[in-house]
Coordinates of all heavy atoms in Angstrom, one line a residue:
M1 N 14.8 11.1 -17.3 CA 14.2 9.7 -17.5 C 14.6 8.8 -16.5 O 15.8 8.8 -16.0 CB 14.7 9.2 -19.0 CG 14.5 7.7 -19.1 SD 14.0 7.0 -20.7 CE 13.1 8.1 -21.6
K2 N 13.7 7.9 -16.1 CA 14.0 7.0 -15.0 C 14.6 5.7 -15.5 O 14.1 5.2 -16.6 CB 12.8 6.7 -14.1 CG 12.4 7.8 -13.3 CD 11.0 7.6 -12.8 CE 10.5 8.8 -11.9 NZ 9.1 8.8 -11.7
V3 N 15.6 5.2 -14.9 CA 16.2 4.0 -15.3 C 16.4 2.9 -14.1 O 16.6 3.4 -13.0 CB 17.6 4.2 -16.0 CG1 18.4 2.9 -16.3 CG2 17.5 5.1 -17.2
C4 N 16.1 1.7 -14.3 CA 16.4 0.7 -13.3 C 17.8 0.7 -12.9 O 18.7 0.5 -13.7 CB 15.9 -0.7 -13.8 SG 16.3 -2.0 -12.6
H5 N 18.0 0.8 -11.6 CA 19.5 0.9 -11.2 C 20.1 -0.5 -11.2 O 21.4 -0.6 -11.3 CB 19.6 1.3 -9.7 CG 18.9 2.7 -9.5 ND1 19.4 3.8 -10.2 CD2 18.0 3.0 -8.6 CE1 18.6 4.8 -9.8 NE2 17.8 4.4 -8.8
F6 N 19.4 -1.5 -11.5 CA 20.0 -2.8 -11.6 C 20.3 -3.4 -12.8 O 21.4 -3.8 -13.1 CB 19.1 -3.9 -10.8 CG 19.1 -3.8 -9.3 CD1 18.3 -2.8 -8.6 CD2 19.9 -4.6 -8.5 CE1 18.4 -2.7 -7.3 CE2 20.0 -4.4 -7.2 CZ 19.2 -3.5 -6.5
C7 N 19.3 -3.2 -13.8 CA 19.5 -3.8 -15.1 C 19.5 -2.7 -16.3 O 19.8 -3.0 -17.4 CB 18.4 -4.8 -15.5 SG 16.8 -4.0 -15.7
G8 N 19.2 -1.4 -15.9 CA 19.3 -0.4 -16.9 C 18.1 -0.2 -17.7 O 18.0 0.6 -18.6
N9 N 17.0 -1.1 -17.6 CA 15.7 -1.1 -18.3 C 15.0 0.3 -18.0 O 15.1 0.9 -16.9 CB 14.9 -2.3 -17.8 CG 13.6 -2.2 -18.6 OD1 13.4 -1.8 -19.7 ND2 12.5 -2.6 -17.8
K10 N 14.4 0.9 -19.0 CA 13.8 2.1 -18.9 C 12.3 2.0 -18.6 O 11.7 3.1 -18.4 CB 14.1 3.1 -20.1 CG 15.6 3.4 -20.3 CD 15.7 4.3 -21.6 CE 17.1 4.6 -21.7 NZ 18.0 3.4 -22.2
N11 N 11.7 0.9 -18.6 CA 10.2 0.8 -18.5 C 10.0 0.4 -16.9 O 10.2 -0.7 -16.5 CB 9.7 -0.3 -19.3 CG 9.8 0.0 -20.8 OD1 9.6 1.2 -21.1 ND2 10.2 -0.9 -21.6
L12 N 9.6 1.5 -16.2 CA 9.2 1.3 -14.8 C 7.7 1.5 -14.7 O 7.1 2.5 -15.3 CB 10.0 2.2 -13.9 CG 11.6 2.1 -13.9 CD1 12.1 3.2 -13.0 CD2 12.0 0.7 -13.6
K13 N 7.0 0.7 -14.0 CA 5.5 1.0 -13.9 C 5.2 1.2 -12.3 O 5.8 0.7 -11.4 CB 4.8 -0.4 -14.3 CG 5.0 -1.5 -13.6 CD 4.2 -2.6 -14.0 CE 4.5 -3.9 -13.1 NZ 3.8 -5.1 -13.6
N14 N 4.3 2.1 -12.1 CA 3.7 2.4 -10.8 C 3.0 1.2 -10.3 O 2.1 0.7 -11.0 CB 3.0 3.7 -10.8 CG 3.7 4.9 -11.1 OD1 4.8 5.0 -10.5 ND2 3.2 5.7 -12.1
T15 N 3.2 0.8 -9.0 CA 2.5 -0.3 -8.5 C 2.4 -0.1 -7.0 O 2.9 0.9 -6.5 CB 3.1 -1.6 -8.9 OG1 2.2 -2.7 -8.4 CG2 4.5 -1.7 -8.3
Q16 N 1.8 -1.1 -6.3 CA 1.8 -1.0 -4.9 C 2.1 -2.4 -4.4 O 1.7 -3.5 -4.9 CB 0.3 -0.7 -4.3 CG 0.0 0.7 -4.7 CD -1.4 1.0 -4.1 OE1 -2.2 0.2 -3.9 NE2 -1.6 2.3 -3.8
V17 N 3.0 -2.5 -3.3 CA 3.5 -3.8 -2.8 C 3.4 -3.7 -1.2 O 3.2 -2.8 -0.6 CB 5.0 -4.1 -3.2 CG1 5.0 -4.2 -4.8 CG2 5.9 -3.0 -2.7
Q18 N 3.6 -5.0 -0.8 CA 3.8 -5.1 0.8 C 5.2 -4.9 1.0 O 6.1 -5.6 0.4 CB 3.2 -6.6 1.1 CG 3.4 -6.7 2.6 CD 3.0 -8.1 3.0 OE1 3.6 -9.1 2.8 NE2 1.8 -8.2 3.7
Y19 N 5.5 -4.0 2.0 CA 6.8 -3.7 2.3 C 7.1 -4.0 3.8 O 6.3 -3.9 4.7 CB 7.0 -2.2 2.3 CG 8.5 -1.7 2.5 CD1 9.4 -1.7 1.4 CD2 8.9 -1.4 3.8 CE1 10.6 -1.2 1.7 CE2 10.2 -1.0 3.9 CZ 11.0 -0.9 2.9 OH 12.4 -0.5 3.1
T20 N 8.2 -4.8 3.9 CA 8.6 -5.3 5.4 C 9.8 -4.5 5.8 O 10.8 -4.5 5.1 CB 8.9 -6.7 5.3 OG1 7.8 -7.5 4.9 CG2 9.3 -7.2 6.8
Y21 N 9.5 -3.7 6.9 CA 10.8 -3.0 7.5 C 11.2 -3.8 8.6 O 10.5 -4.3 9.5 CB 10.2 -1.6 8.1 CG 11.2 -0.7 8.5 CD1 11.9 0.2 7.8 CD2 11.8 -0.8 9.8 CE1 12.8 1.1 8.2 CE2 12.7 0.0 10.3 CZ 13.3 0.9 9.4 OH 14.3 1.8 10.0
K22 N 12.5 -4.1 8.7 CA 13.1 -4.8 9.8 C 14.2 -4.1 10.4 O 15.1 -3.5 9.7 CB 13.7 -6.2 9.1 CG 14.4 -7.1 10.1 CD 14.8 -8.3 9.4 CE 15.4 -9.3 10.5 NZ 16.7 -8.9 11.0
H23 N 14.3 -4.1 11.7 CA 15.4 -3.5 12.5 C 15.6 -4.5 13.6 O 14.9 -4.6 14.5 CB 15.0 -2.2 12.9 CG 16.2 -1.5 13.6 ND1 17.3 -1.0 13.0 CD2 16.4 -1.0 15.0 CE1 18.1 -0.5 13.8 NE2 17.6 -0.5 14.9
Y24 N 16.8 -5.1 13.6 CA 17.1 -6.3 14.5 C 15.9 -7.3 14.5 O 15.6 -7.7 13.3 CB 17.4 -5.9 15.9 CG 18.6 -5.0 16.0 CD1 18.4 -3.5 16.3 CD2 19.9 -5.5 15.9 CE1 19.6 -2.7 16.3 CE2 21.0 -4.6 16.0 CZ 20.9 -3.3 16.1 OH 21.9 -2.5 16.2
D25 N 15.3 -7.7 15.5 CA 14.3 -8.6 15.4 C 12.9 -8.1 15.5 O 11.9 -8.7 15.8 CB 14.3 -9.7 16.5 CG 15.1 -10.9 16.1 OD1 15.4 -11.1 14.9 OD2 15.6 -11.7 16.9
N26 N 12.9 -6.7 15.2 CA 11.5 -6.1 15.2 C 11.1 -5.9 13.7 O 12.0 -5.5 12.9 CB 11.6 -4.7 15.8 CG 11.7 -4.8 17.4 OD1 11.2 -5.8 18.0 ND2 12.5 -4.1 18.0
F27 N 9.8 -6.1 13.4 CA 9.4 -6.1 12.1 C 8.2 -5.0 12.0 O 7.4 -4.9 12.9 CB 8.9 -7.3 11.6 CG 10.1 -8.3 11.3 CD1 10.5 -9.1 12.4 CD2 10.5 -8.5 10.1 CE1 11.5 -9.9 12.2 CE2 11.5 -9.4 9.9 CZ 12.1 -10.2 11.0
L28 N 8.0 -4.4 10.8 CA 6.8 -3.6 10.5 C 6.4 -4.0 9.1 O 7.2 -3.8 8.2 CB 6.9 -2.2 10.7 CG 5.7 -1.4 10.1 CD1 4.5 -1.7 11.0 CD2 6.0 0.1 10.3
V29 N 5.2 -4.6 8.9 CA 4.8 -4.9 7.6 C 3.6 -3.8 7.1 O 2.7 -3.6 7.8 CB 3.9 -6.3 7.5 CG1 3.5 -6.6 6.2 CG2 5.0 -7.4 7.9
V30 N 3.9 -3.2 6.0 CA 3.1 -2.1 5.6 C 2.4 -2.6 4.1 O 3.1 -2.8 3.3 CB 3.7 -0.8 5.4 CG1 2.7 0.3 5.0 CG2 4.4 -0.4 6.7
N31 N 1.1 -2.7 4.1 CA 0.6 -3.1 2.8 C 0.3 -2.0 1.9 O 0.1 -0.8 2.3 CB -0.9 -3.8 3.1 CG -0.6 -5.2 3.8 OD1 0.4 -6.0 3.4 ND2 -1.5 -5.4 4.7
D32 N 0.2 -2.2 0.6 CA -0.3 -1.3 -0.4 C 0.7 0.0 -0.4 O 0.3 1.0 -0.5 CB -1.7 -0.9 -0.3 CG -2.6 -2.0 -0.4 OD1 -2.3 -2.9 -1.0 OD2 -3.7 -1.9 0.2
V33 N 2.0 -0.2 -0.4 CA 3.0 0.8 -0.3 C 3.3 1.2 -1.8 O 3.7 0.3 -2.7 CB 4.4 0.4 0.2 CG1 5.4 1.6 0.3 CG2 4.1 0.0 1.7
P34 N 3.1 2.5 -2.2 CA 3.4 2.8 -3.6 C 4.9 2.8 -4.0 O 5.7 3.2 -3.1 CB 2.8 4.3 -3.7 CG 3.0 4.8 -2.3 CD 2.7 3.6 -1.4
C35 N 5.2 2.2 -5.1 CA 6.5 2.2 -5.6 C 6.6 2.1 -7.1 O 5.5 2.0 -7.8 CB 7.2 1.0 -4.9 SG 6.7 -0.6 -5.5
E36 N 7.8 2.0 -7.6 CA 7.9 1.8 -9.2 C 8.6 0.4 -9.2 O 9.5 0.1 -8.5 CB 8.7 2.9 -9.8 CG 8.0 4.1 -9.9 CD 8.8 5.3 -10.5 OE1 10.0 5.4 -10.2 OE2 8.3 6.0 -11.3
Q37 N 8.2 -0.5 -10.3 CA 8.7 -1.7 -10.4 C 9.3 -1.8 -11.8 O 8.5 -1.4 -12.8 CB 7.6 -2.8 -10.2 CG 8.2 -4.2 -10.4 CD 7.3 -5.3 -10.0 OE1 6.0 -5.0 -10.3 NE2 7.7 -6.4 -9.7
C38 N 10.5 -2.2 -11.9 CA 11.1 -2.6 -13.2 C 10.4 -3.7 -13.9 O 10.1 -4.7 -13.4 CB 12.5 -2.9 -13.1 SG 13.3 -3.4 -14.7
E39 N 9.9 -3.4 -15.2 CA 9.2 -4.4 -16.0 C 10.0 -5.5 -16.4 O 9.5 -6.6 -16.8 CB 8.4 -3.7 -17.1 CG 7.3 -2.8 -16.7 CD 6.5 -2.2 -17.8 OE1 7.0 -2.3 -18.9 OE2 5.4 -1.8 -17.5
Y40 N 11.4 -5.3 -16.4 CA 12.3 -6.4 -16.9 C 12.7 -7.2 -15.7 O 12.5 -8.5 -15.8 CB 13.4 -5.8 -17.6 CG 14.4 -6.8 -18.2 CD1 14.0 -7.4 -19.4 CD2 15.6 -7.1 -17.6 CE1 14.9 -8.5 -19.8 CE2 16.3 -8.1 -18.1 CZ 16.1 -8.8 -19.2 OH 16.9 -9.7 -19.7
C41 N 13.4 -6.7 -14.7 CA 14.0 -7.5 -13.6 C 13.1 -7.6 -12.3 O 13.3 -8.4 -11.5 CB 15.3 -7.0 -13.3 SG 15.4 -5.6 -12.2
G42 N 12.0 -6.7 -12.3 CA 11.1 -6.9 -11.2 C 11.5 -6.2 -9.9 O 10.8 -6.2 -9.0
E43 N 12.6 -5.5 -10.0 CA 13.1 -4.7 -8.9 C 12.2 -3.6 -8.5 O 11.6 -2.9 -9.4 CB 14.5 -4.2 -9.1 CG 15.3 -3.6 -8.0 CD 15.5 -4.7 -6.8 OE1 15.8 -5.9 -7.1 OE2 15.5 -4.4 -5.6
H44 N 12.0 -3.4 -7.1 CA 11.2 -2.3 -6.7 C 11.9 -1.1 -6.3 O 13.0 -1.1 -5.7 CB 10.3 -2.8 -5.5 CG 9.3 -3.8 -5.8 ND1 9.5 -5.1 -5.2 CD2 8.3 -3.8 -6.7 CE1 8.5 -5.9 -5.7 NE2 7.7 -5.1 -6.6
F45 N 11.5 0.1 -6.5 CA 12.0 1.3 -6.1 C 11.1 2.2 -5.4 O 9.9 2.5 -5.9 CB 12.6 2.2 -7.4 CG 13.6 1.3 -8.2 CD1 13.2 0.6 -9.3 CD2 14.9 1.3 -7.7 CE1 14.1 -0.2 -10.0 CE2 15.9 0.5 -8.4 CZ 15.5 -0.3 -9.5
F46 N 11.5 2.6 -4.2 CA 10.6 3.4 -3.3 C 11.2 4.8 -3.2 O 12.4 5.0 -3.2 CB 10.6 2.8 -1.9 CG 9.9 1.4 -1.9 CD1 10.8 0.3 -2.1 CD2 8.7 1.1 -1.7 CE1 10.3 -0.9 -2.2 CE2 8.1 0.0 -1.6 CZ 8.9 -1.2 -2.0
K47 N 10.3 5.8 -3.1 CA 10.8 7.2 -2.8 C 11.3 7.2 -1.4 O 10.8 6.6 -0.5 CB 9.5 8.2 -2.9 CG 9.1 8.5 -4.3 CD 8.0 9.5 -4.2 CE 7.4 9.8 -5.6 NZ 6.1 10.6 -5.6
G48 N 12.3 8.1 -1.2 CA 12.8 8.4 0.1 C 11.8 8.8 1.1 O 11.8 8.4 2.3
S49 N 10.8 9.6 0.6 CA 9.8 10.2 1.6 C 8.8 9.0 2.0 O 8.4 9.0 3.2 CB 8.9 11.3 0.9 OG 8.4 10.7 -0.3
V50 N 8.6 8.1 1.1 CA 7.8 6.9 1.5 C 8.5 6.0 2.5 O 8.0 5.7 3.6 CB 7.4 6.1 0.3 CG1 6.9 4.7 0.6 CG2 6.5 6.8 -0.7
L51 N 9.8 5.8 2.4 CA 10.6 4.9 3.4 C 10.7 5.7 4.7 O 10.8 5.0 5.7 CB 12.0 4.7 2.7 CG 12.0 3.9 1.4 CD1 13.3 3.6 1.0 CD2 11.3 2.5 1.6
K52 N 10.8 7.0 4.6 CA 11.0 7.8 5.8 C 9.8 7.6 6.7 O 9.8 7.6 7.8 CB 11.2 9.2 5.4 CG 11.6 10.0 6.6 CD 13.1 9.7 7.1 CE 13.3 10.3 8.5 NZ 14.4 9.6 9.2
Q53 N 8.6 7.7 6.0 CA 7.2 7.6 6.6 C 7.1 6.2 7.3 O 6.6 6.1 8.3 CB 6.2 7.8 5.6 CG 4.9 8.5 6.1 CD 4.0 8.9 4.9 OE1 4.3 8.9 3.8 NE2 2.8 9.2 5.3
I54 N 7.5 5.2 6.6 CA 7.5 3.9 7.1 C 8.4 3.8 8.4 O 8.0 3.2 9.3 CB 7.8 2.8 6.0 CG1 6.6 2.8 5.1 CG2 8.0 1.4 6.7 CD1 7.0 1.9 3.8
E55 N 9.5 4.4 8.3 CA 10.5 4.3 9.4 C 9.9 5.0 10.6 O 10.1 4.6 11.7 CB 11.8 5.0 8.9 CG 12.9 4.9 9.9 CD 14.2 5.5 9.5 OE1 14.3 5.8 8.3 OE2 15.1 5.7 10.4
N56 N 9.3 6.1 10.4 CA 8.7 7.0 11.5 C 7.6 6.1 12.1 O 7.4 6.1 13.4 CB 8.1 8.2 10.9 CG 9.1 9.2 10.6 OD1 10.3 9.1 11.0 ND2 8.9 10.2 9.8
E57 N 6.8 5.4 11.3 CA 5.7 4.6 11.8 C 6.4 3.4 12.7 O 5.8 3.2 13.8 CB 4.9 4.0 10.7 CG 3.7 3.1 11.1 CD 2.5 4.0 11.8 OE1 2.7 5.3 11.7 OE2 1.6 3.4 12.3
F58 N 7.4 2.9 12.2 CA 8.1 1.8 12.9 C 8.5 2.3 14.3 O 8.4 1.6 15.3 CB 9.4 1.3 12.1 CG 10.1 0.3 12.8 CD1 9.9 -1.1 12.6 CD2 11.2 0.6 13.6 CE1 10.7 -2.0 13.2 CE2 11.9 -0.4 14.3 CZ 11.6 -1.7 14.1
I59 N 9.1 3.5 14.3 CA 9.5 4.1 15.6 C 8.4 4.3 16.5 O 8.5 4.0 17.7 CB 10.3 5.3 15.3 CG1 11.6 5.1 14.7 CG2 10.6 6.1 16.6 CD1 12.4 6.2 14.0
S60 N 7.3 4.8 16.0 CA 6.1 5.1 16.8 C 5.5 3.8 17.5 O 5.2 3.8 18.6 CB 5.0 5.7 16.0 OG 5.3 6.9 15.4
I61 N 5.6 2.8 16.8 CA 5.1 1.5 17.3 C 6.0 0.8 18.2 O 5.6 0.4 19.4 CB 4.8 0.5 16.1 CG1 3.6 1.0 15.2 CG2 4.5 -0.8 16.6 CD1 3.5 0.3 13.8
H62 N 7.3 0.7 17.8 CA 8.3 0.0 18.7 C 8.9 0.7 19.7 O 9.4 0.2 20.8 CB 9.4 -0.7 17.8 CG 8.8 -1.8 17.0 ND1 8.5 -3.1 17.5 CD2 8.6 -1.9 15.7 CE1 8.1 -3.8 16.6 NE2 8.1 -3.2 15.4
S63 N 8.9 2.0 19.7 CA 9.6 2.9 20.8 C 8.6 3.6 21.5 O 8.8 3.9 22.7 CB 10.5 3.9 20.1 OG 11.6 3.3 19.3
H64 N 7.5 4.0 20.9 CA 6.5 4.8 21.6 C 5.2 4.1 21.9 O 4.2 4.6 22.4 CB 6.1 6.1 20.9 CG 7.4 6.9 20.5 ND1 8.3 7.3 21.5 CD2 7.9 7.3 19.3 CE1 9.2 8.0 20.8 NE2 9.0 7.9 19.6
G65 N 5.2 2.8 21.6 CA 4.1 1.9 22.0 C 2.8 2.1 21.2 O 1.6 1.9 21.8
K66 N 2.8 2.8 20.0 CA 1.6 2.9 19.3 C 0.8 1.7 19.0 O 1.5 0.7 18.6 CB 2.0 3.7 17.9 CG 0.8 4.1 17.1 CD 1.1 4.7 15.8 CE -0.3 4.8 15.0 NZ 0.1 5.4 13.6
K67 N -0.4 1.7 19.2 CA -1.3 0.5 18.8 C -1.5 0.4 17.3 O -1.8 1.3 16.6 CB -2.6 0.6 19.4 CG -2.5 0.6 21.0 CD -2.4 -0.9 21.5 CE -2.2 -0.9 23.0 NZ -0.8 -1.4 23.4
V68 N -1.5 -0.8 16.8 CA -1.7 -1.1 15.4 C -3.0 -1.9 15.3 O -3.4 -2.6 16.1 CB -0.6 -1.8 14.7 CG1 0.6 -1.0 14.7 CG2 -0.2 -3.2 15.4
K69 N -3.6 -1.8 14.0 CA -4.9 -2.4 13.7 C -4.7 -4.0 13.7 O -5.6 -4.7 14.1 CB -5.3 -1.9 12.4 CG -5.9 -0.5 12.4 CD -6.5 -0.1 11.0 CE -6.9 1.3 11.0 NZ -6.7 2.0 9.8
K70 N -3.6 -4.4 13.3 CA -3.5 -5.9 13.0 C -2.0 -6.4 13.3 O -1.1 -5.6 13.0 CB -3.8 -6.2 11.5 CG -3.9 -7.6 11.2 CD -4.4 -7.7 9.7 CE -4.3 -9.1 9.3 NZ -4.6 -9.3 7.8
E71 N -1.9 -7.4 14.0 CA -0.6 -8.1 14.2 C -0.5 -9.5 13.7 O -1.5 -10.2 13.7 CB -0.3 -8.0 15.7 CG 0.0 -6.6 16.2 CD 0.4 -6.6 17.7 OE1 0.3 -7.6 18.3 OE2 0.9 -5.6 18.1
L72 N 0.6 -9.9 13.2 CA 0.8 -11.3 12.6 C 1.7 -12.1 13.6 O 2.5 -11.5 14.3 CB 1.6 -11.2 11.3 CG 0.9 -10.4 10.2 CD1 1.9 -10.4 9.0 CD2 -0.3 -11.1 9.7
I73 N 1.4 -13.3 13.7 CA 2.2 -14.2 14.4 C 3.3 -14.9 13.3 O 2.7 -15.5 12.4 CB 1.5 -15.3 15.2 CG1 0.7 -14.6 16.3 CG2 2.5 -16.3 15.9 CD1 -0.3 -15.5 17.0
I74 N 4.6 -14.7 13.5 CA 5.4 -15.2 12.4 C 6.3 -16.4 13.1 O 6.9 -16.3 14.1 CB 6.4 -14.1 12.1 CG1 5.6 -12.9 11.5 CG2 7.4 -14.6 11.0 CD1 6.4 -11.7 11.2
P75 N 6.1 -17.6 12.4 CA 7.0 -18.7 12.8 C 8.5 -18.5 12.6 O 8.8 -17.9 11.6 CB 6.5 -19.9 11.9 CG 5.2 -19.4 11.3 CD 5.4 -17.9 11.2
V76 N 9.3 -18.9 13.6 CA 10.7 -18.7 13.4 C 11.4 -19.9 13.6 O 11.1 -20.7 14.6 CB 11.2 -17.6 14.4 CG1 12.8 -17.5 14.4 CG2 10.5 -16.2 14.3
E77 N 12.3 -20.4 12.7 CA 13.1 -21.5 12.8 C 14.6 -21.3 12.8 O 14.9 -20.3 12.1 CB 12.7 -22.5 11.7 CG 11.3 -23.1 11.8 CD 11.1 -24.4 12.6 OE1 12.0 -24.5 13.6 OE2 10.2 -25.2 12.3
Q78 N 15.3 -22.2 13.2 CA 16.8 -22.1 13.1 C 17.0 -23.1 12.0 O 16.7 -24.3 12.1 CB 17.5 -22.5 14.4 CG 18.9 -22.1 14.7 CD 18.9 -20.5 14.8 OE1 17.8 -20.0 15.4 NE2 19.9 -19.8 14.4
Y79 N 17.9 -22.7 10.9 CA 18.1 -23.7 9.8 C 18.7 -25.0 10.3 O 18.3 -26.1 9.8 CB 18.9 -23.0 8.8 CG 19.1 -24.0 7.6 CD1 17.9 -24.3 6.8 CD2 20.1 -24.5 7.3 CE1 18.0 -25.1 5.6 CE2 20.3 -25.5 6.2 CZ 19.2 -25.7 5.4 OH 19.3 -26.5 4.4
S80 N 19.7 -25.0 11.3 CA 20.4 -26.1 11.6 C 19.5 -27.1 12.2 O 19.7 -28.3 12.3 CB 21.5 -25.8 12.7 OG 20.9 -25.1 13.8
E81 N 18.4 -26.7 12.8 CA 17.3 -27.6 13.5 C 16.4 -28.2 12.5 O 16.1 -29.3 12.5 CB 16.6 -26.8 14.6 CG 17.4 -26.5 15.8 CD 16.7 -25.6 16.7 OE1 15.4 -25.4 16.8 OE2 17.4 -24.9 17.5
I82 N 16.0 -27.4 11.5 CA 15.0 -28.0 10.4 C 15.8 -28.9 9.5 O 15.2 -29.8 8.9 CB 14.3 -26.9 9.7 CG1 15.2 -25.9 9.0 CG2 13.4 -26.1 10.6 CD1 14.4 -24.9 8.1
Q83 N 17.0 -28.6 9.4 CA 17.9 -29.4 8.4 C 17.9 -30.9 8.8 O 17.7 -31.7 8.0 CB 19.3 -28.8 8.4 CG 20.1 -29.3 7.3 CD 21.6 -28.8 7.5 OE1 21.9 -28.4 8.5 NE2 22.3 -28.7 6.4
S84 N 18.1 -31.1 10.2 CA 18.4 -32.5 10.5 C 17.1 -33.3 10.5 O 17.2 -34.7 10.3 CB 18.8 -32.5 12.0 OG 17.9 -31.8 12.8
S85 N 16.0 -32.7 10.5 CA 14.7 -33.5 10.5 C 14.3 -34.1 9.0 O 13.6 -34.9 8.8 CB 13.5 -32.6 10.9 OG 13.4 -31.6 10.0
H86 N 15.2 -33.6 8.1 CA 14.9 -34.1 6.6 C 15.9 -35.2 6.3 O 15.9 -35.5 5.1 CB 14.9 -32.8 5.7 CG 13.8 -32.0 6.0 ND1 12.5 -32.3 5.6 CD2 13.6 -30.8 6.4 CE1 11.6 -31.3 5.8 NE2 12.3 -30.4 6.3
N87 N 16.8 -35.5 7.0 CA 17.9 -36.5 6.6 C 17.2 -37.9 6.6 O 16.6 -38.3 7.5 CB 19.1 -36.5 7.6 CG 19.9 -35.3 7.3 OD1 19.8 -34.8 6.2 ND2 20.7 -34.8 8.3
Ligands
ZN1 ZN1 15.5 -3.8 -13.8

């Protein structure tokens, strides 16, 4: 029987989510990644093989220059800078 590692709830449902893999300042966003979600606390659980596949894809893109279908431009701010503008 599967149990949520966080809250101990036994009701996990199969779903698909957007997964963001991050290594230093490099990112890979993968849509529709299969996982199980706790129906009580909402925590996601991914199979090791799924995470390994995403990691391999990340290496292909960032180390071997693999071309991807779509890229996002992500705004980056420093909190100390955005903080002062609201005073
Ligand atoms: Zn839970």
Side-chain angles (χ1 to χ4, degrees):
M1 170 146 329
K2 287 168 183 165
V3 174
C4 175
H5 300 308
F6 285 83
C7 71
N9 177 39
K10 294 183 180 73
N11 295 320
L12 302 180
K13 63 177 179 183
N14 289 314
T15 185
Q16 294 184 332
V17 296
Q18 183 181 67
Y19 185 90
T20 303
Y21 185 99
K22 179 178 185 290
H23 185 67
Y24 296 107
D25 269 345
N26 292 321
F27 292 81
L28 171 63
V29 176
V30 185
N31 291 321
D32 300 334
V33 179
C35 70
E36 289 180 318
Q37 182 177 24
C38 173
E39 290 184 345
Y40 183 75
C41 73
E43 190 63 36
H44 295 117
F45 299 98
F46 298 88
K47 277 186 191 167
S49 60
V50 169
L51 296 179
K52 190 73 198 162
Q53 212 168 347
I54 291 172
E55 189 184 342
N56 288 341
E57 182 68 11
F58 178 91
I59 293 165
S60 296
I61 293 164
H62 288 289
S63 301
H64 307 303
K66 182 182 172 181
K67 294 278 177 250
V68 291
K69 284 181 188 149
K70 190 177 171 185
E71 291 188 340
L72 300 174
I73 295 170
I74 302 174
V76 178
E77 293 273 28
Q78 205 71 31
Y79 184 71
S80 56
E81 290 170 20
I82 61 172
Q83 191 184 23
S84 57
S85 66
H86 290 289
N87 282 341

